[in-house]
């Protein structure tokens, strides 16, 4: 099991896309992840300030894998930029980092 912890930033539009992708997956595999992200989103600062940085979410490696898998089931043209953004964020955090 992947116990690494990652901080990922998602804009409101990216977050909606992630939720849409997760909603297409079997509920028993994603319900805890959806709850985790939703809980963090509810604590995030107001997104009406367009100059504020996007909120950051803490996810485990296993949860991140579920997100990427779910996004992989969506049309490429809708998710390729989001997947590239997530990949860049992960690379910046160092793949080998452990908590």
């Amino acid at each position: 099991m992947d116990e690494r912890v990652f901080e990922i930033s998602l804009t409101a539009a990216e977050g909606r896309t992630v939720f849409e992708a997760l909603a297409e997956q079997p509920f028993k595999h994603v319900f805890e992840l959806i709850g985790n992200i939703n809980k963090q989103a509810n604590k995030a600062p107001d997104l009406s300030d367009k100059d504020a940085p996007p909120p950051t979410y803490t996810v485990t490696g296993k949860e991140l894998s579920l997100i990427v898998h779910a996004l992989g089931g969506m049309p490429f043209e809708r998710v390729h930029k989001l997947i590239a953004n997530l990949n860049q964020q992960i690379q910046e955090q160092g793949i080998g980092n452990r908590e």
Side-chain angles (χ1 to χ4, degrees):
M1 186 176 300
D2 193 345
E3 297 298 326
R4 291 175 285 187
V5 176
F6 297 93
E7 301 287 329
I8 57 171
S9 295
L10 298 171
T11 64
E14 290 171 335
R16 286 189 296 273
T17 301
V18 167
F19 276 119
E20 183 180 339
L22 290 172
E24 295 298 321
Q25 300 301 304
F27 183 72
K28 67 182 182 180
H29 295 163
V30 298
F31 77 95
E32 287 181 9
L33 173 56
I34 290 171
N36 177 27
I37 294 172
N38 191 46
K39 182 176 162 183
Q40 292 181 65
N42 288 333
K43 292 181 182 178
D46 182 14
L47 296 177
S48 62
D49 181 1
K50 301 298 182 201
D51 295 326
T56 301
Y57 303 91
T58 302
V59 295
T60 66
K62 180 181 176 184
E63 291 171 328
L64 186 58
S65 180
L66 282 170
I67 291 169
V68 172
H69 174 77
L71 291 170
M74 297 184 75
F76 177 79
E77 60 276 356
R78 289 201 53 214
V79 298
H80 72 280
K81 290 180 183 175
L82 173 53
I83 292 173
N85 179 22
L86 289 172
N87 185 50
Q88 180 181 356
Q89 291 182 56
I90 294 163
Q91 294 296 323
E92 289 171 355
Q93 293 177 51
I95 291 176
N97 289 349
R98 301 253 180 211
E99 287 237 344

